[in-house]
Amino acid sequence: MAKGDKNVEAITARDVDFAQWYTDVVKKAGLVEYSSVKGCVILLPFGYALWEQIKDELDARFKATGHENVYFPMFIPESLLQREKDHIEGFAPEVAWVTHGGDEELEERLCIRPTSEVLFCEYFANAIQSHRDLPKKYNQWCSVVRWEKSTRPFLRTREFLWQEGHTAHATQDEADAQTLMMLHLYADFAEDYLAVPVLRGRKTDKEKFAGAKETLTIESMMHDGKALQMGTSHNFGDGFAKAFDITYTDKDNKLQHVWQTSWGLTARLIGGIIMAHGDDNGLVLPPKIAPIQVAIIPIASHKEGVKEKAYEIENLLSKNFRVKLDVSDRTPGWKFAEYEMKGVPVRIEIGPKDIEQGQAVLVRRDNREKVTIRLENIEQAVHNALQELHISLFETARQNRRNRTKEVFRVDELRETLDESAGFAKAMWCGDRACEDRVKEEATATSRLMPFKQMPIGDTCFVCGKPADKLVVWGRAY
Amino acid sequence: MAKGDKNVEAITARDVDFAQWYTDVVKKAGLVEYSSVKGCVILLPFGYALWEQIKDELDARFKATGHENVYFPMFIPESLLQREKDHIEGFAPEVAWVTHGGDEELEERLCIRPTSEVLFCEYFANAIQSHRDLPKKYNQWCSVVRWEKSTRPFLRTREFLWQEGHTAHATQDEADAQTLMMLHLYADFAEDYLAVPVLRGRKTDKEKFAGAKETLTIESMMHDGKALQMGTSHNFGDGFAKAFDITYTDKDNKLQHVWQTSWGLTARLIGGIIMAHGDDNGLVLPPKIAPIQVAIIPIASHKEGVKEKAYEIENLLSKNFRVKLDVSDRTPGWKFAEYEMKGVPVRIEIGPKDIEQGQAVLVRRDNREKVTIRLENIEQAVHNALQELHISLFETARQNRRNRTKEVFRVDELRETLDESAGFAKAMWCGDRACEDRVKEEATATSRLMPFKQMPIGDTCFVCGKPADKLVVWGRAY
């Protein structure tokens, strides 16, 4: 970059201090701002626009698979939360309690939903009577509250935006299929839309959702080698149905319990995008989610014909892409740095000499190479650049995951491996909770998932040495 | 209606008991369900779909007028809420307080936002430095909480969905223009999209928003003659700016306070649609907001060719309308009643005889007249029916308002008029708060608004007899 090109404030280098780099990007790109409310952040227009993109795309995919949106209250009476034993144990320590309405103390305190299973269950118990009422496939977009001790923008905040799906089915098979379908929907979205490669599999009993029979998960690796859980899909079996007495009469007029699922995905995905793709110049946005896909920067825009040509290009590209033409009085250098910081996938530079020669300069955000293109081919060139960028981001992230994935055969080996360089470690596990606890204690690692595609690398547990048939991916997680 | 046509449960007649009719419609049309959380309701798929339609349309209008979406935390520290004196006095009695996070008592209790002015002000105070940072035109979609004593679905609930816009400007003129623009945007939306005629004007000081210099409002009349406030736009002047020290340096390098506005509109609009347009057969939806605009009901669908033709019509109409073809095994009569209850604007009936003769039957939801149409004209016929229905709903509501609007010249006359039949009453007012209080006491009516178009009907106050130059519309409100 030429001298003086970089007028935005510098950020910490990614490989020097990843955590500080993350905080710098989040702030300098204008995604969030802190408020005086501890543990909560403000999503500024650019940060919220990313969430809107995620929301719109996922919402369309939910609707296309037969789900309907609803909105349930944010409050849960304490007695209702306590109905399912594992569930209350999992969530009680981290809920916020409302005790007063105006000046009056409430008769029963209410928690702000940390998740809404119990509210949906209470509703299902009333609304479902016959097999004709099934399936119910509901989703809601809302915020939930969990009183976390330590917080970071997007990754862990006391209030966060998410969607939660809740379904009820007549048969176990249907619920099993639903749980799996949603997991694959999440995984396809992460890969096709966010260019983040994910592993698909199931959680161990220790790591599963409080009250679930089984939790499926997608897990990704960030640039620094740490793991990020990107979305989970829970199979409840008939556990909640029995706790809440949710029954229906089947075609033979027999009373049956329903089978349920829930699945959720949060604004932490935005943190995932930042940490999977970002670099020392800021955010790098996968093209499909980028609120601005193409930034057009006129050079020497006071010269005759430059602005006109820039507007012409804006008009042309706006038909198929989300375009921002910046004709403000900032210097081109300032603009380059600004749109790089904001991760805009493609930049078009157009100046008097370019116009003379019927060309423009195209710069892809990831490799930042300047390519001269013919103006008559500009739409195709932008289209290609966006496609290539998506593939490149995905492949780079996958290569990083490949490089940082090891096989280990002892707990101390796991610890040493992760201490040396964060990443995923595959190891065989007997299925015993005690072994999993030892891994946490001795290697400060958690089981991320048991991949659907099990490719064993041995037949004994890497902790206790007993027979083992489960391949688990371990790591240190956000 | 032929015998046996009506298989859905009957609802209370509208003119027998309007309140019960409203509750019946809300429940039987499947808009909401009560939950065990007092004062909060569940928005079921159909109810939430109406909110989504409102949201999508308004959101597009907000963005087209230069606003950006953001998301601020739901919590407000008590000390922050207290910063603006009038504001805290207005809201403190009705906020919900969070006092505990998990097992720990909070150092400072937090209220759940009843509205977010103070959070935006705190942010603006930090984010706005120079005239280059202005204007800020933000909006957020969220829920807010107000601890109301008596509640009704959509009209008044403890938690409700809304949007709140918050803007900051360099000059008073800009803030004035913004306040007015948003009021007109709301009014146009209510009339063009919801077919609800509204009066536009300003609130008296007594009725204005806590902390505002001036509140603009749109007021509509429901079928029973009672008033519904549909949306408000507040001009804060520099009051909040001074309380929160929100300043910027202008082009001459002088420190100035900003000028602010806020404006909001809630899911009570859905209640307004129900009460403005509904009838004894249930909901009547204005076509632009209807999630289903056309219901296609095959008659004798077991007969050869009927279903095929119905699918053909569905395909054709789906290009330009939101269509639902119901091929379930319910009787046509059940389906007629069901889609009438849900307010679907247009119904198409198609049976073997119709097909033979190349025709179908079209029924408009409001007048329920059966019209035979040629199949080759079906698109045009549906298009016309929807347009006519919109106009008809709007005109019917306007005629109702006209019939129920009186002029009064004494407070006892106002009371008698409203006791006899609810409606709007125009009267001249001196501007004195004491007179307004007397109206409330003696006629149990409130000032709805002072219309922008002031057409005086006298020159003395209808309460105290002193000189008066303000025409006020009075009424009893939801």
Side-chain angles (χ1 to χ4, degrees), chain B residues 5-282:
Chain B
D5 258 12
K6 193 153 183 180
N7 296 349
V8 292
E9 293 168 79
I11 57 172
T12 307
R14 184 177 55 167
D15 292 336
V16 168
D17 183 344
F18 195 75
Q20 188 58 49
W21 166 83
Y22 177 80
T23 307
D24 287 354
V25 170
V26 157
K27 285 266 300 183
K28 300 276 166 60
L31 297 175
V32 305
E33 189 49 82
Y34 297 94
S35 77
S36 66
V37 189
K38 195 175 169 308
C40 300
V41 295
I42 298 165
L43 269 73
L44 295 175
F46 190 48
Y48 194 77
L50 292 177
W51 181 238
E52 276 183 326
Q53 293 282 123
I54 291 173
K55 204 175 152 192
D56 288 351
E57 176 67 20
L58 272 177
D59 198 68
R61 294 184 186 210
F62 294 158
K63 283 176 178 156
T65 45
H67 300 93
E68 299 179 298
N69 282 337
V70 293
Y71 187 80
F72 275 60
M74 70 156 78
F75 298 115
I76 304 176
E78 186 165 18
S79 55
L80 184 63
L81 187 67
Q82 290 169 335
R83 199 84 71 83
E84 209 283 341
K85 200 182 121 290
D86 293 335
H87 192 66
I88 175 75
E89 278 178 15
F91 284 103
E94 59 177 29
V95 296
W97 292 104
V98 175
T99 56
H100 289 75
D103 293 333
E104 281 173 35
E105 191 171 349
L106 304 184
E107 279 176 35
E108 178 180 14
R109 59 183 192 161
L110 305 170
C111 84
I112 302 174
R113 61 182 163 220
T115 180
S116 305
E117 274 71 15
V118 298
L119 292 169
F120 280 83
C121 283
E122 186 190 40
Y123 169 73
F124 285 153
N126 289 318
I128 297 170
Q129 304 294 333
S130 141
H131 61 92
R132 292 186 80 139
D133 300 324
L134 294 171
K136 294 269 189 232
K137 296 174 69 169
Y138 287 164
N139 174 62
Q140 80 176 358
W141 295 95
C142 63
S143 73
V144 291
V145 171
R146 297 178 188 175
W147 221 252
E148 307 278 359
K149 300 279 181 212
S150 64
T151 56
R152 290 179 84 182
F154 296 120
L155 300 177
R156 184 163 273 112
T157 50
R158 287 184 171 173
E159 181 190 6
F160 57 92
L161 294 169
W162 84 342
Q163 64 66 217
E164 50 180 318
H166 297 273
T167 70
H169 306 267
T171 66
Q172 182 167 12
D173 279 357
E174 250 187 63
D176 291 351
Q178 169 78 20
T179 314
L180 196 59
M181 176 183 79
M182 294 318 295
L183 198 275
H184 285 306
L185 188 153
Y186 284 164
D188 293 345
F189 172 75
E191 300 196 330
D192 300 347
Y193 209 71
L194 309 181
V196 176
V198 294
L199 299 178
R200 310 170 192 217
R202 66 195 80 237
K203 289 283 187 190
T204 61
D205 278 355
K206 179 183 160 93
E207 297 290 333
K208 75 183 184 188
F209 180 84
K213 192 185 80 178
E214 181 176 67
T215 289
L216 308 184
T217 183
I218 53 172
E219 301 279 329
S220 62
M221 186 190 284
M222 301 293 96
H223 178 78
D224 66 345
K226 284 173 82 174
L228 188 76
Q229 177 180 301
M230 302 270 286
T232 45
S233 180
H234 314 295
N235 192 336
F236 290 145
D238 57 1
F240 276 93
K242 283 180 173 161
F244 285 83
D245 202 20
I246 313 172
T247 57
Y248 72 97
T249 48
D250 66 14
K251 286 173 185 168
D252 304 324
N253 221 23
K254 276 174 60 183
L255 208 61
Q256 305 275 7
H257 281 105
V258 302
W259 301 81
Q260 289 170 268
T261 81
S262 85
W263 25 278
L265 184 150
T266 85
R268 79 181 327 208
L269 282 190
I270 298 170
I273 296 165
I274 300 168
M275 293 194 296
H277 304 313
D279 66 20
D280 284 351
N281 294 295

Side-chain angles (χ1 to χ4, degrees), chain A residues 233-249:
Chain A
S233 180
H234 314 295
N235 193 336
F236 290 145
D238 57 2
F240 276 92
K242 284 181 172 160
F244 285 82
D245 202 19
I246 313 173
T247 57
Y248 71 98
T249 48

